[in-house]
Amino acid sequence: MPVTGPDFISLQVRDLDASQAFYETHLGLVRSPAGPPHAVVFATTPIAFALRDLLPETDLSGVDQPGIGTAVWLHATGVQEIHDSLVAAGHTIVSPPVEDPFGLTFTFADPDGYRITLHDRA
């Protein structure tokens, strides 16, 4: 039986409450009622996106860019507005908005340093 594709994406974070607030405030994500107590699962489609407490063997101290080499792209309908909100709040923009085959696209660093790319072409 072959793998059919990604079904769940989860990032381990240093401060679950702060990361949840960041993703809700700046990206407009809404928490799903599903999920274990050590994680926040957002109501995203077609793939669930979540944040979770660090596993005991995971140490992100001293790591500027966790997940280096991994690309996390999220679709959004208000890419420019989200960019402007992040800039106004003083968050790090890794690459500014550009039009490319995926629509308006930009990359930012979340509170833990994960690089997240937003695009608006479905």
Side-chain angles (χ1 to χ4, degrees):
M1 183 71 54
V3 171
T4 59
D7 188 50
F8 190 81
I9 297 170
S10 176
L11 301 177
Q12 294 183 54
V13 298
R14 294 175 183 98
D15 182 335
L16 187 58
D17 292 334
S19 289
Q20 175 184 353
F22 173 85
Y23 281 90
E24 289 176 342
T25 301
H26 295 290
L27 276 60
L29 294 180
V30 175
R31 186 175 187 160
S32 167
H38 61 274
V40 173
V41 178
F42 294 106
T44 56
T45 59
I47 297 170
F49 177 73
L51 306 169
R52 63 158 294 136
D53 286 327
L54 295 173
L55 292 170
E57 66 275 8
T58 303
D59 180 10
L60 293 182
S61 62
V63 176
D64 292 332
Q65 186 181 347
I68 194 162
T70 301
V72 176
W73 286 55
L74 301 174
H75 176 262
T77 56
V79 170
Q80 187 65 55
E81 293 82 7
I82 294 169
H83 169 271
D84 296 347
S85 168
L86 290 169
V87 169
H91 292 287
T92 301
I93 303 301
V94 177
S95 61
V98 295
E99 284 289 339
D100 67 17
F102 302 100
L104 186 61
T105 304
F106 81 97
T107 302
F108 64 91
D110 82 352
D112 285 283
Y114 288 103
R115 299 325 196 229
I116 308 294
T117 300
L118 297 184
H119 70 98
D120 67 1
R121 185 163 296 142

